[in-house]
Amino acid sequence: MNDNPDAITALVDGVISETHKHSKNPRIVQDIISSLVEKIPSALSFNSIANDIGISHNTVAEYLDFLSDLLLIGIAYWRSEGKVDKKKEKKVFFRDPFISHSLSSWVNKKVNESALLENIVQEHIFRNFGEVYYFKNNTEIDVVAGEYKIEIKKSRSRRGYSKGVRILNEEDIPSFLLMIEK
């Protein structure tokens, strides 16, 4: 698929087609994706996207659910000590690097490489555990699932993290993902 010059166009056309089939507005989908590309991998609120594009936070929530149902994005909610808070900021992630690159080209923006790395780990964990969360207080933990607490950094981290947090950089990610088990 990556070698097919029409693959990106086919994916975008498919998204637009599904948008029409579900009585959604393709321009709103495009605007939300544009806002996401700028904000990911940071935690965000529906209001922050709504303010970017001039629609209600309820509409943003509805459209993000739609994009999630299309398996284009996933949502990691804040979790601490077993409690999940869906009202707090969320981390939205693209479900696949190809999706990320295709949708970012549709909105004429470039995906942040750190975001891409984090999205890959989030999706892999999601596929293995059926859920993925994040945690943030004084420090942020990008991925929380099962007994795993993972922070993803493009390069080596210079900050200290609490015990049990695994810090992954770009070189560590492939071997970590291969060894992960439920």
Side-chain angles (χ1 to χ4, degrees), residues 140-175:
E140 182 175 302
I141 302 171
D142 294 323
V143 180
V144 177
E147 75 251 13
Y148 291 102
K149 296 176 184 169
I150 306 162
E151 178 65 16
I152 296 107
K153 297 291 180 196
K154 175 115 172 71
S155 57
R156 290 274 175 217
S157 175
R158 291 172 176 70
R159 278 197 292 182
Y161 286 88
S162 60
K163 186 176 182 178
V165 176
R166 177 111 186 223
I167 313 296
L168 299 178
N169 65 26
E170 187 173 7
E171 292 78 34
D172 300 328
I173 291 172
S175 59

Side-chain angles (χ1 to χ4, degrees), residues 21-147:
K21 283 181 191 173
H22 290 88
S23 301
K24 304 283 185 217
N25 184 327
R27 183 63 196 183
I28 293 175
V29 169
Q30 191 174 29
D31 289 345
I32 289 173
I33 290 168
S34 179
S35 182
L36 288 174
V37 170
E38 289 179 355
K39 293 178 180 355
I40 291 175
S42 299
L44 54 87
S45 68
F46 295 153
N47 282 328
S48 68
I49 297 170
N51 291 336
D52 278 354
I53 60 179
I55 60 175
S56 78
H57 69 279
N58 291 328
T59 302
V60 170
E62 176 188 332
Y63 274 72
L64 288 178
D65 283 343
F66 169 68
L67 293 173
S68 179
D69 289 345
L70 292 180
L71 304 178
L72 298 173
I73 64 164
I75 300 175
Y77 294 100
W78 182 90
R79 186 178 92 178
S80 177
E81 299 176 13
K83 296 180 193 171
V84 176
D85 189 340
K86 292 186 175 185
K87 293 185 179 190
K88 284 189 181 258
E89 292 185 325
K90 305 112 185 75
K91 283 193 152 212
V92 177
F93 57 96
F94 289 106
R95 300 283 311 263
D96 183 88
F98 177 73
I99 291 169
S100 177
H101 288 299
S102 298
L103 296 179
S104 66
S105 72
W106 183 34
V107 299
N108 296 315
K109 297 200 173 163
K110 187 170 170 62
V111 176
N112 174 318
E113 192 172 342
S114 295
L116 186 61
L117 293 173
E118 187 173 314
N119 288 184
I120 289 167
V121 175
Q122 288 164 318
E123 176 61 19
H124 190 82
I125 295 292
F126 179 77
R127 287 182 187 192
N128 277 275
F129 289 88
E131 60 186 15
V132 64
Y133 303 97
Y134 84 100
F135 174 77
K136 183 177 183 178
N137 61 10
N138 296 336
T139 59
E140 182 175 302
I141 302 171
D142 294 323
V143 180
V144 177
E147 75 251 13

